[in-house]
Amino acid sequence: MTEAVARPAHVPADRVVDFDIYNPPGVEQDYATAWQALQKDGGPGLVWTPRNGGHWIAVGGEHVRNLWGDAARLSSEVLSVTPGQGDALRFIPLQLDPPAHNPFRNAVMKGFASRFVVALEPQVKAVATELIDELIGRGSCDFATEFAEVMPVNIFLSLIDVPLSDRPMLREFGKQLTRPDGTMTVEQLAQAVDDYLWPFLQQRLENPGEDLFSRILSVPIDGRPWTVDEAKRLTRNLLFGGLDTVAAMLGMIALHLARHPEHQRLLREQPDLIPGAADEFMRRYPTVSVSRNLVTDVELDGVTMKEGEIVFLPSVLHNLDPHSFDAPEEVRFDRGLNAARHTTMGAGPHRCVGAGLARSEIIIFLREWLGRMPEFRLDPDKPVTMKGGTVGGCNTIPLLWDS
Ligand code: HEM
């Protein structure tokens, strides 16, 4: 745990909680419960923690959502409560505020237009079925490391059209991102990603193809071409944005289904329910939280957050707040919520550009896994373990089935 910093004078003593977002008490056992401890007994809507340099945390669900959408007073430039991380990664479009954000966002949105996502379905399906076929005869797997973390990396490689023989290398980057082993700093990881991807990017800038990068990089920025630096920053954002987030979501869904064989049966018998189930799983199992730096003083919930301070916004505290959603912990496949109501994919101008692709990956995973695998369950002799951080989720999900 990082050293606690002193409470600034404007932070009331009764708003201080000792909470490390990277390691909330009990997170190993259950990610959501560890966060919900902050909401217990209807406490305040905003608290301040002295950990990780000292920052605010929005605890009330509606505060989380409203602050996330408030791009006029809150900036995404800082990226993280960990000092230096934002400067190392410099993501485009994520760390740009409107209006500078707009032309880049527009280019990325064009690349992810729904017709392209639909056209990718056969590739996503091929990746999923290949992985399932490798596992099916074994009767067991650690779903987190052997499926959830692998599928998004392989899809990313297909997306940007780099050689499949490079999978192990990109998987290694993915691993360093989801479960850093201390051999690389974030700066070194960002550099390694740049070094690996640069030759491909250069080709796409000079000779655009049909892949995602080419589509995005061929959209001019305010009438001029993308610079090399911007192209690298975009690539990093796509890579870091689309790997551990999808892995975390797939893991949470597999865990839910292992604990609820009645839901496995229902979705096997009525596959038409799968798209609605995917939407509900996305609402029920949020794992992403974001940091915002205040560009002006903000008065809210009886306190003043000062310009320059950081507020942390955990989507789990919005989606699972009973003031925001009816019986939020229940998984109801017919909830029929508009996806923009929950914050799993964010809110406001930075709402996830990969949301359509992510949803498609989840639907295809559910169809292929449930269509091929027999009923599966958790291994009673091995624990499920989870982690906190800006992207939480499962470290291990030991599954068993009769092969
Ligand atoms: C279930 C999977 C996913 C989840 C839960 C997720 C979540 C999020 C969230 C919460 C944000 C908003 C960040 C903020 O406001 O600070 C975001 C933005 C973003 N996501 Fe995703 N994401 C997922 C999948 C993907 C995929 C597959 C890609 C691309 C390959 C992607 C690329 C991005 C990018 C580029 C942004 C920045 C958008 C902008 O700044 O305009 N994400 N995502």
Side-chain angles (χ1 to χ4, degrees):
M1 182 136 45
T2 60
E3 290 278 301
V5 299
R7 169 175 65 94
H10 68 282
V11 176
D14 62 358
R15 296 302 177 106
V16 178
V17 291
D18 191 356
F19 195 88
D20 180 355
I21 60 118
Y22 292 106
N23 203 8
V27 76
E28 279 247 319
Q29 287 74 42
D30 191 76
Y31 170 81
T33 313
W35 272 100
Q36 283 169 306
L38 289 176
Q39 263 175 356
K40 249 196 179 145
D41 311 323
L46 277 173
V47 296
W48 186 88
T49 173
R51 300 290 160 186
N52 297 298
H55 61 88
W56 294 96
I57 303 175
V59 171
E62 292 309 301
H63 291 319
V64 173
R65 191 171 195 292
N66 293 338
L67 288 169
W68 211 321
D70 189 347
R73 297 188 297 171
L74 281 76
S75 161
S76 53
E77 191 189 353
V78 67
L79 187 70
S80 162
V81 295
T82 304
Q85 220 173 64
D87 292 337
L89 294 169
R90 295 166 61 238
F91 286 151
I92 282 183
L94 187 53
Q95 285 175 258
L96 296 177
D97 294 321
H101 171 252
N102 303 348
F104 294 99
R105 168 88 185 182
N106 174 40
V108 180
M109 290 293 277
K110 283 191 176 147
F112 278 99
S114 58
R115 66 178 187 285
F116 295 124
V117 173
V118 171
L120 279 171
E121 281 175 12
Q123 276 165 275
V124 176
K125 185 175 165 189
V127 167
T129 54
E130 188 191 330
L131 281 174
I132 295 168
D133 289 347
E134 280 168 20
L135 294 174
I136 198 162
R138 285 184 20 198
S140 69
C141 76
D142 175 6
F143 185 87
T145 54
E146 295 183 285
F147 188 92
E149 287 175 14
V150 186
M151 180 172 152
V153 178
N154 289 2
I155 290 170
F156 190 82
L157 285 171
S158 313
L159 269 185
I160 58 175
D161 201 18
V162 306
L164 288 185
S165 54
D166 285 349
R167 272 184 203 179
M169 186 184 320
L170 218 67
R171 240 204 104 192
E172 185 53 37
F173 295 152
K175 266 201 218 152
Q176 291 292 344
L177 185 69
T178 47
R179 46 186 77 227
D181 61 8
T183 57
M184 268 177 146
T185 61
V186 186
E187 290 81 356
Q188 287 166 334
L189 179 60
Q191 188 60 49
V193 169
D194 277 4
D195 291 346
Y196 168 69
L197 287 171
W198 173 236
F200 299 103
L201 274 177
Q202 203 168 18
Q203 268 174 22
R204 306 293 185 273
L205 280 168
E206 285 161 12
N207 280 316
E210 293 301 310
D211 60 287
L212 175 77
F213 278 162
S214 298
R215 281 201 304 273
I216 297 176
L217 296 174
S218 63
V219 181
I221 300 301
D222 290 334
R224 57 151 180 93
W226 287 69
T227 67
V228 168
D229 181 56
E230 289 163 353
K232 288 184 176 176
R233 293 166 64 186
L234 163 82
T235 315
R236 262 184 251 149
N237 197 164
L238 291 178
L239 185 67
F240 285 67
L243 296 190
D244 56 343
T245 51
V246 180
M249 181 60 70
L250 294 176
M252 287 300 198
I253 295 174
L255 178 61
H256 176 95
L257 290 171
R259 286 176 171 159
H260 294 274
E262 74 284 6
H263 280 163
Q264 292 189 42
R265 282 193 286 275
L266 182 63
L267 295 178
R268 280 198 182 95
E269 282 161 17
Q270 298 184 51
D272 291 355
L273 295 179
I274 285 179
D279 292 334
E280 172 64 346
F281 284 138
M282 286 168 84
R283 179 205 62 83
R284 174 62 183 81
Y285 293 108
T287 56
V288 180
S289 310
V290 300
S291 303
R292 291 289 191 264
N293 50 302
L294 283 88
V295 294
T296 176
D297 290 1
V298 172
E299 279 178 33
L300 190 69
D301 195 43
V303 295
T304 303
M305 297 188 289
K306 295 265 189 208
E307 180 182 346
E309 290 182 332
I310 295 178
V311 57
F312 196 72
L313 309 173
S315 52
V316 64
L317 293 186
H318 172 233
N319 292 6
L320 297 187
D321 186 339
H323 298 101
S324 303
F325 296 92
D326 182 36
E329 298 199 23
E330 272 175 37
V331 169
R332 298 180 187 161
F333 295 153
D334 59 354
R335 210 181 267 268
L337 276 181
N338 172 346
R341 269 262 287 130
H342 63 70
T343 39
T344 300
M345 312 308 280
H350 294 284
R351 190 173 181 279
C352 183
V353 280
L357 174 62
R359 181 173 186 266
S360 163
E361 291 185 44
I362 292 164
I363 291 173
I364 290 169
F365 153 68
L366 284 168
R367 282 196 188 124
E368 299 309 317
W369 186 278
L370 293 172
R372 283 161 184 259
M373 281 279 179
E375 193 165 293
F376 57 96
R377 57 195 180 279
L378 286 173
D379 183 339
D381 298 326
K382 294 181 185 161
V384 170
T385 58
M386 300 199 189
K387 62 177 177 191
T390 51
V391 182
C394 295
N395 279 326
T396 50
I397 311 169
L399 295 185
L400 291 178
W401 58 88
D402 300 326
S403 56

